[in-house]
Amino acid sequence: MSNSDTGQHIASAFDRDLEQILALIMKMGGLVEVAILDGARSLETRDVELAEEVRKNDKRIDALEEQINEIAATTIAKRAPVATDLRMILSVLKINGNLERVGDYAKNMAKRTSVLAEMPRMDGSEAGLRRMAKEVQGMLKDALDAFVRRDASLAEDVRARDLDVDQMYNALFREFLTFMMEDPRNITPCMHLHFIAKNVERMGDHVTNICEQVIYLVTGELPEDARPKDDQTPFATEAEVP
Amino acid sequence: MSNSDTGQHIASAFDRDLEQILALIMKMGGLVEVAILDGARSLETRDVELAEEVRKNDKRIDALEEQINEIAATTIAKRAPVATDLRMILSVLKINGNLERVGDYAKNMAKRTSVLAEMPRMDGSEAGLRRMAKEVQGMLKDALDAFVRRDASLAEDVRARDLDVDQMYNALFREFLTFMMEDPRNITPCMHLHFIAKNVERMGDHVTNICEQVIYLVTGELPEDARPKDDQTPFATEAEVP
């Protein structure tokens, strides 16, 4: 990737800027991964302090997003990149935005810990959410690896894994409906848990967006096929509930 | 805004590109406004054909988003804009992304029309959703006006109105909880309606993001204060339900 061996001053200045931006993206990605896992763990263990930590760390994530946006804008202005270099910077801006959104969803998940801690446990659902969050965190890790290594085939793999997340969400949705019908006291906790499950499913969509940017960077084209999508809940009716 | 009277060839070429991009943004904004209103109307009147139209139009919105992204990238590469011009293009990219997301939420709303049409009506909730959607559409219209006119104070006004949307959402959330506790047969339709209400509330957040970009464009800074936020549902417990 480095152009420094070509001796072009402009190109190597761009490379230095880019390296700085990539380092910040990886730092931000690490924080977002932690936020996903800690957010889900705070829910399951009803750990209000951990939830508070997730909320605090989200401020660091937001600050990194702004910093990356600024450096990218300065890089475009100073280096006037074209072709692959420009495409890289524009992809970085998109990945940056998607990372921030995932962090935001993790923060929203943690935010509900204190209220859920006051309510009856929905047997197994918190663990189901934690598994779903763990899956998304793994996808994010691999998506960022794919980005750093310019590995389009790894990005394709991660993208396909989003189907699993969608299916985990569908299973949880049906579980919540059943709990609510069994006992009206389950309605409020299940509304909150459903909200969280939907947010985790959305995190998966944002990781998928990151993968699409990686594929675009490497191949020059966004994937042709629409993203695999398996949220069946728009069509869920009571009849389907066991 | 035009630099053509300075006689600079580069600058006026940039202005022509920018004009083209702005025209496409406004076209896209118009389509998204229609999608919001039609999506909510299709739900309320249980009009499956109208819902199908919203889904089809979303493809046009997505195509416009891609087209705008491409022209913006080409403009950066060819014109190497700096300072205000660069800031403009980067803001356009963000506004573009936010518009696409709002369109996506409208499509998701329409998608649930056919399943909700098979279920009992929740008295007044569909109308409540339609009023909320109408409010968001009005905000979007004004946000785009603020963008075209570089009117930071209008953008501030629109941003403040998002509080109303958040409050409408909170009221609907409590309404859904009540319906579900009254009768378990209301649980499934209310889960869908809650999902839709949350999406409309999120549309408001994206319109707010657009306003923040307008403020950034005009003043050079993002608004200092965190965005006004009034989603109280993370803290809603059964005790609060009438």
Side-chain angles (χ1 to χ4, degrees):
Chain A
M1 193 185 62
S2 166
N3 295 323
S4 59
D5 48 0
T6 67
Q8 290 175 357
H9 175 256
I10 303 287
S12 71
F14 175 83
D15 280 355
R16 278 197 308 274
D17 287 354
L18 186 60
E19 256 169 53
Q20 189 195 359
I21 293 170
L22 294 189
L24 289 172
I25 285 273
M26 295 317 281
K27 185 175 168 187
M28 188 173 165
L31 288 177
V32 173
E33 279 183 48
V34 169
I36 298 171
L37 293 179
D38 284 354
R41 198 153 54 89
S42 76
L43 272 183
E44 193 185 10
T45 60
R46 309 191 150 197
D47 185 339
V48 179
E49 272 175 44
L50 183 59
E52 188 49 41
E53 216 174 285
V54 175
R55 293 175 70 169
K56 273 190 199 142
N57 277 333
D58 192 56
K59 292 209 171 49
R60 293 175 59 199
I61 294 171
D62 290 349
L64 274 170
E65 189 212 5
E66 269 195 49
Q67 195 187 349
I68 291 165
N69 276 339
E70 269 174 42
I71 301 178
T74 312
T75 301
I76 296 175
K78 281 198 312 200
R79 316 297 179 204
V82 293
T84 320
D85 290 346
L86 177 60
R87 195 200 286 168
M88 184 68 187
I89 291 281
L90 294 178
S91 286
V92 161
L93 284 174
K94 288 208 179 124
I95 290 171
N96 191 29
N98 278 292
L99 274 178
E100 189 273 335
R101 294 296 306 259
V102 175
D104 225 38
Y105 283 129
K107 179 193 67 182
N108 287 342
M109 173 160 69
K111 241 167 136 178
R112 293 191 188 239
T113 293
S114 58
V115 63
L116 276 166
E118 309 289 317
M119 296 183 186
R121 274 190 183 279
M122 297 300 103
D123 232 10
S125 295
E126 283 99 341
L129 274 174
R130 193 234 313 134
R131 278 193 298 274
M132 200 174 153
K134 173 85 186 137
E135 179 63 28
V136 170
Q137 175 263 330
M139 284 169 59
L140 177 57
K141 187 177 174 300
D142 290 346
L144 292 174
D145 275 358
F147 173 54
V148 168
R149 288 154 36 190
R150 310 282 189 283
D151 185 339
S153 106
L154 177 57
E156 269 299 352
D157 286 353
V158 176
R159 203 165 154 256
R161 273 155 64 191
D162 195 38
L163 265 178
D164 295 333
V165 175
D166 289 345
Q167 282 162 2
M168 286 164 123
Y169 166 73
N170 291 337
L172 280 171
F173 180 83
R174 284 192 295 272
E175 204 171 293
F176 297 143
L177 284 183
T178 315
F179 280 134
M180 292 197 284
M181 283 171 199
E182 274 171 12
D183 187 341
R185 281 169 298 183
N186 293 338
I187 288 176
T188 307
C190 282
M191 288 283 277
H192 288 290
L193 289 169
H194 171 237
F195 178 90
I196 294 162
K198 188 70 204 171
N199 278 358
V200 177
E201 190 258 347
R202 283 216 177 88
M203 289 182 196
D205 293 346
H206 285 285
V207 175
T208 301
N209 290 347
I210 293 175
C211 293
E212 288 170 2
Q213 285 304 314
V214 173
I215 293 165
Y216 173 67
L217 262 178
V218 179
T219 68
E221 280 182 26
L222 285 170
E224 271 292 312
D225 54 320
R227 187 182 76 73
K229 188 84 194 92
D230 199 27
D231 175 2
Q232 295 298 334
T233 66
F235 311 107
T237 61
E238 275 174 274
E240 293 172 37
V241 176
Chain B
M1 191 184 63
S2 166
N3 295 324
S4 58
D5 47 1
T6 67
Q8 291 176 358
H9 176 255
I10 304 287
S12 71
F14 175 82
D15 279 355
R16 279 197 308 275
D17 287 354
L18 186 59
E19 257 170 52
Q20 189 195 359
I21 293 170
L22 294 188
L24 289 172
I25 285 273
M26 296 315 282
K27 185 176 168 188
M28 187 173 164
L31 287 177
V32 173
E33 279 184 48
V34 169
I36 298 171
L37 293 179
D38 284 355
R41 199 152 53 89
S42 75
L43 272 184
E44 193 185 10
T45 60
R46 307 190 153 199
D47 185 338
V48 179
E49 272 175 44
L50 183 59
E52 188 49 40
E53 215 173 284
V54 175
R55 292 175 70 169
K56 272 189 200 144
N57 277 333
D58 192 57
K59 293 208 172 47
R60 292 176 59 199
I61 294 171
D62 289 349
L64 274 169
E65 189 213 6
E66 269 195 48
Q67 195 187 349
I68 291 166
N69 276 339
E70 269 173 40
I71 301 177
T74 312
T75 302
I76 295 175
K78 282 199 311 202
R79 316 297 178 204
V82 292
T84 322
D85 289 345
L86 177 59
R87 195 199 287 167
M88 184 68 186
I89 292 281
L90 294 178
S91 286
V92 161
L93 284 175
K94 287 209 179 123
I95 290 170
N96 191 30
N98 278 291
L99 274 178
E100 189 273 336
R101 295 296 306 258
V102 175
D104 224 38
Y105 283 129
K107 179 194 66 179
N108 286 342
M109 173 159 67
K111 240 167 136 177
R112 292 190 189 242
T113 293
S114 58
V115 62
L116 277 165
E118 308 288 317
M119 295 183 187
R121 275 190 182 278
M122 297 300 103
D123 231 13
S125 295
E126 284 99 342
L129 274 175
R130 194 235 312 135
R131 278 193 299 275
M132 200 176 152
K134 173 86 186 135
E135 178 64 27
V136 170
Q137 174 263 331
M139 284 170 59
L140 177 57
K141 187 177 172 299
D142 290 347
L144 292 174
D145 275 358
F147 173 54
V148 168
R149 286 153 39 190
R150 310 283 190 283
D151 184 340
S153 106
L154 177 57
E156 269 299 352
D157 285 353
V158 176
R159 203 166 154 257
R161 273 155 64 191
D162 194 40
L163 265 179
D164 294 334
V165 174
D166 290 346
Q167 281 160 3
M168 286 164 122
Y169 166 72
N170 291 338
L172 279 171
F173 180 82
R174 283 192 296 270
E175 206 171 292
F176 297 142
L177 283 184
T178 316
F179 280 134
M180 292 198 283
M181 283 173 200
E182 274 171 11
D183 187 341
R185 282 170 297 184
N186 292 340
I187 289 177
T188 307
C190 281
M191 287 283 277
H192 288 289
L193 289 169
H194 171 236
F195 179 90
I196 294 162
K198 188 69 204 173
N199 278 358
V200 178
E201 191 257 347
R202 283 216 177 87
M203 289 181 195
D205 293 345
H206 285 285
V207 175
T208 301
N209 290 346
I210 294 175
C211 292
E212 288 170 2
Q213 286 304 315
V214 173
I215 293 166
Y216 173 68
L217 263 179
V218 179
T219 68
E221 281 182 24
L222 284 170
E224 272 291 313
D225 55 321
R227 187 183 75 76
K229 189 84 193 93
D230 200 27
D231 174 2
Q232 295 297 334
T233 66
F235 311 107
T237 61
E238 274 173 275
E240 292 171 37
V241 177

